[in-house]
Amino acid sequence: MVVVTACGGDGSEEARGPSVVGTTSGSDPSGVPDLGAGEDVAGGIEVPWGLAFLPDGTGLVAERNSGVVLRVSPGKASERVYEVPGVVAQGEGGLLGLAVSPRYEEDRFVYAYFTGAEDNRIVRFRTDGPPEVIFAGIAKAGNHNGGRIAFGPDGMLYAGTGDAGRSDRSQDPASPNGKILRLTPEGRPAPDNPTPDSPVYSLGHRNVQGLAWDTKGRLYAAEFGQNRFDEINRIEPGHNYGWPTVEGTGDTDRGRYTNPLLTWTTREASPSGIAITADTLYTAALRGECLWATPLHDGTLGTPQPRLRDRGRLRTVEVAPDGALWVTTSNTDGRGDPHPGDDRILRFPAH
């Protein structure tokens, strides 16, 4: 084992070499990603899902079906660094989101959200030891498992969950399903959550797939719709986003529900991961098979523009420490048409 040191509806082992080996273009952390200058960081990855970065810019990638975590870096062969035990990959379940501790250089923790035999759960681990379960009991199903996790600017761990096929869970404040959860790094409810001693930060979600913050610390989330509309929501603590009563924009029931900032038809999107950089919100689209680039100004969204139309299904997008935009394809997940060398990790330098 190597020790780490450094667009419908739901669209839903060993070391592998990268598709391109060589010198990587430099990036400016404050620059705009050049979507015309993409390069392959790695290829031949089986259903990549979660993507997170170590402080040195190395990427960690989760393979949904195998439970393997790969270390990937431009110009180097992919390395298998960990296999999360107990992963049960069925339907849309498996090893899903990854997050790196904001104190990684001190505590060496990597976090993972995965589907197990009985539930979806969150663990943390060091790559030379067993995982520690920090949150369990998120109902699982063949679909609507959520799975995205990320540390916010407040140092808390956020997790997007799905309704696991039962929409009533989304409105049940006692259920962790159909929610965005906000946890301490140890997995306890964050102390200033809307409801004391509850992990629930927001509710009324169908299947949250992406989480990202703007420069002022505002949280945005991508959500799969059912048959009509996919959503980008601006997440406010304690707000109810309406599922299953409302899909897309609709009646707020005198302010009880919060409408999304942006919707697409389900054929256009199936939005999964999102990332924000250079005043733009980027959305990886599965059924829509593109990267939506949407201007973001002071908490409001402009008109989305489709980019990267030639890569097939896109699952995850993240901003690396150097400002480059990394994107994962998802053509080997059983719903796509794999291209030679799929699935891939793509890098777009910022200038």
Side-chain angles (χ1 to χ4, degrees):
M1 177 175 293
V2 179
V3 178
V4 175
T5 59
C7 278
D10 301 358
S12 321
E13 292 87 66
E14 295 301 323
R16 300 177 177 88
S19 298
V20 172
V21 178
T23 303
T24 293
S25 302
S27 282
D28 176 359
S30 62
V32 177
D34 184 351
L35 297 183
E39 56 193 346
D40 289 2
V41 176
I45 297 177
E46 298 176 12
V47 197
W49 213 102
L51 169 64
F53 293 98
L54 300 173
D56 68 355
T58 299
L60 298 180
V61 178
E63 287 191 328
R64 186 185 71 184
N65 293 352
S66 70
V68 166
V69 178
L70 299 172
R71 176 177 175 167
V72 298
S73 185
K76 298 180 181 179
S78 304
E79 297 176 282
R80 171 178 174 157
V81 296
Y82 198 76
E83 182 173 349
V84 178
V87 172
V88 177
Q90 295 177 341
E92 295 171 2
L95 179 58
L96 304 175
L98 293 179
V100 171
S101 168
R103 300 177 62 247
Y104 178 81
E105 291 177 327
E106 301 170 23
D107 62 30
R108 320 301 282 181
F109 279 127
V110 177
Y111 291 72
Y113 182 120
F114 74 93
T115 311
E118 303 296 333
D119 59 7
N120 289 298
R121 50 185 50 199
I122 302 170
V123 298
R124 66 179 182 180
F125 58 87
R126 301 182 179 97
T127 56
D128 57 353
E132 171 193 1
V133 178
I134 65 164
F135 194 90
I138 306 167
K140 73 168 198 169
N143 53 20
H144 305 190
N145 288 296
R148 196 70 62 182
I149 57 174
F151 278 95
D154 57 0
M156 297 295 107
L157 181 66
Y158 292 73
T161 72
D163 65 13
R166 270 187 42 189
S167 59
D168 60 300
R169 292 181 173 127
S170 298
Q171 293 295 326
D172 179 359
S175 170
N177 287 81
K179 310 294 191 299
I180 293 175
L181 310 178
R182 181 170 175 264
L183 309 169
T184 68
E186 297 74 33
R188 295 187 291 271
D192 53 349
N193 277 355
T195 300
D197 300 319
S198 169
V200 174
Y201 191 66
S202 63
L203 70 162
H205 299 288
R206 181 174 182 266
N207 194 11
V208 176
Q209 291 286 292
L211 300 169
W213 289 262
D214 66 16
T215 56
K216 293 188 176 180
R218 292 174 290 217
L219 173 60
Y220 302 80
E223 185 164 345
F224 283 161
Q226 183 172 9
N227 298 315
R228 300 175 60 211
F229 295 109
D230 296 320
E231 303 175 0
I232 299 291
N233 288 291
R234 179 175 162 186
I235 303 302
E236 301 281 2
H239 281 215
N240 187 327
Y241 291 84
W243 177 256
T245 303
V246 181
E247 178 183 359
T249 300
D251 183 1
T252 66
D253 190 17
R254 293 173 293 183
R256 178 183 179 192
Y257 304 129
T258 299
N259 274 327
L261 293 182
L262 175 66
T263 64
W264 295 271
T265 65
T266 52
R267 183 177 297 276
E268 293 175 302
S270 284
S272 190
I274 61 175
I276 296 172
T277 186
D279 297 322
T280 302
L281 185 145
Y282 293 95
T283 305
L286 290 160
R287 189 176 178 188
E289 297 193 355
C290 68
L291 183 71
W292 288 101
T294 307
L296 175 62
H297 177 69
D298 197 25
T300 63
L301 294 174
T303 302
Q305 298 296 323
R307 306 292 301 274
L308 306 184
R309 284 287 198 186
D310 60 344
R311 301 290 188 162
R313 292 161 60 82
L314 303 182
R315 170 75 66 181
T316 296
V317 56
E318 294 284 355
V319 180
D322 65 356
L325 200 69
W326 288 37
V327 178
T328 76
T329 67
S330 192
N331 296 316
T332 62
D333 64 1
R335 292 175 171 168
D337 182 15
H339 301 186
D342 277 343
D343 269 316
R344 301 171 182 271
I345 311 298
L346 312 171
R347 178 183 182 271
F348 301 89
H351 297 294

